[in-house]
Amino acid sequence: MQRQFTPYFETAPAHQKLQSPIKLACWLGIAVACALVAPAARGQAPAANPPANAKPSFVIIMADDLGYGDLACYGHPTIRTPEFDRMAAEGMRLTQFYSGAPVCTPSRAALMTGRYPARSGLCGQRRVLFPDSTGGLPDSEITLAEALAPAGYRSICIGKWHLGYQPKYLPTNHGFAHYFGIPYSNDMGAETAGGRIRGWPKTPLIRDLAVIEEDPDQALLTRRYTEEAVAFLREAAAGQQPFLLYLPHTMPHVPIFASDKFKDQSPRGLYGDVVTELDWSTGEILRTLRETGLANRTLVFFTSDNGPWLAQRLRGGSAGLLREGKGSTWEGGVRVPGIAWWPDHVPAGRVNPAIVSSMDLFSTCVALAGAALPSDRPIDGLDVSPVLLRDEPGPRQTLFFYRDTAVTAVRHGPWKAHFQTQAGYGQPKPDLHDTPLLYHLDHDPSEKLDLAAQHPEVVTQLQQLATEHAASFQPAPSQLDEPK
Ligand code: MG
């Protein structure tokens, strides 16, 4: 059945959609803070220099389906990434950074809310939101943009949102002042897939709430997103208001495209071209921050939403030495690149093995902003600023891994126990492990040698952690599973 898009331009403005007291408080906070800290917004000339105690701004750049092994600074032998390499040399490269989930939608929900996706209902048997899904990130959830707003932040989202395409779920109704991008994956268009006609609409390119193009040229998306981001940064530099720029790229999710300038350049083929264009894009953003004087008051973090889509063979990426890829809770599905950059604040040239989750970015940004974490709900993210700013060991010892609402594995210190394992694609049913598999990830990051028989006490401890975690809350109803 052909679904019609809601005419976005007829929808109510963002502020009319905010109903909860918490969100109302957020927006009142914005108003007060803007009045205090944003003279440029009131038509006054910006001050030449920010106050010494200026709040840091945040840029979160996220690739889609980029694997742990896809950047030169993470060991890829033929993909050239000089800008990512320079970012890592000037900042910190995390070697045990985890996405919030092994697939797009729940991963983004974790990042945006600082919570396991089972708490918000952004997980399910369908695994991600599709163009026929009517669910999305509930209004009751507090996004990073909304958490930062009371501290005076202005937030913008450019790229792939994938937390609901209907107007009430789009970024401008979740605390972002503006949105530009494709709201879900770039393989969810109207064209046939594997000979099957899906009846989905043409891929929309959205600005704020309005569809401004259908089926945009995907070879130009990385460049267009970058131009939007650079323009926003130049505008932000003219004022003093701290900001969050959230830039979740559409690439290198299959189908992959590179613009003419980057096409046929990489020895890795088209996938390498696409990653090299993302490298260029990140370089443009860092260059703009340097040129505008924003660099030493802006924390930039680069990562990926999940591991490589191995089923796509050469069109997909590489998890390097890690096992499996996207869709799986083996390490290759969830451990991804994580690079932090903030001149004069993040020490240069460090490589830190702390266990860090994308959920921790939520709590860390909130802490650095001097904002308050939501106090009426569990927040799973931890403040990892001691890692990023002082190269210290991380506060996180334990991390749970989910497929749908099932806890499939847990990491605690160097140990990881798997209760069920499943390839990301092509394995319909999971292998259930009555005796969990146990790996020592410091010794065996590739998860090759099961040590459960040698360390039954560790298995028992990790089983107990997972049981207690699963019993601590009831997963929210899935937003993914009902095409309505
Ligand atoms: Mg993805």
Side-chain angles (χ1 to χ4, degrees), residues 407-410 417-421 431-434 436-437 462-463 466:
V407 177
T408 59
V410 56
H418 290 269
F419 311 111
Q420 54 176 278
T421 51
D431 294 325
L432 305 177
H433 305 290
D434 290 338
L437 308 178
L462 269 60
Q463 268 180 316

Side-chain angles (χ1 to χ4, degrees), residues 37 46-55 236-237 239-242 292-294 296-297:
V37 302
N49 295 304
N53 61 350
K55 293 173 183 292
Q240 291 189 3
Q241 188 176 10
T292 56
L294 286 170
N296 68 357
R297 52 187 170 113

Side-chain angles (χ1 to χ4, degrees), residues 63-65 103-104 108 160 253 305-307 326:
D64 192 351
D65 295 2
V103 287
C104 297
R108 288 146 204 273
K160 171 180 167 179
H253 189 286
D305 69 331
N306 51 251
K326 173 181 179 176

Side-chain angles (χ1 to χ4, degrees), residues 68-140:
Y68 186 78
D70 278 329
L71 305 182
C73 55
Y74 277 84
H76 199 284
T78 56
I79 300 178
R80 287 189 67 247
T81 53
E83 300 293 347
F84 287 124
D85 302 351
R86 180 180 173 188
M87 181 182 179
E90 294 177 353
M92 180 180 291
R93 189 165 64 83
L94 297 174
T95 55
Q96 304 200 78
F97 183 84
Y98 289 92
S99 63
V103 287
C104 297
T105 294
S107 171
R108 288 146 204 273
L111 172 66
M112 272 296 107
T113 65
R115 286 149 58 83
Y116 286 107
R119 296 192 193 275
S120 58
L122 269 292
C123 54
Q125 292 189 358
R126 292 188 94 197
R127 307 180 81 178
V128 299
L129 291 164
F130 288 91
D132 60 2
S133 305
T134 55
L137 189 66
D139 190 51
S140 55

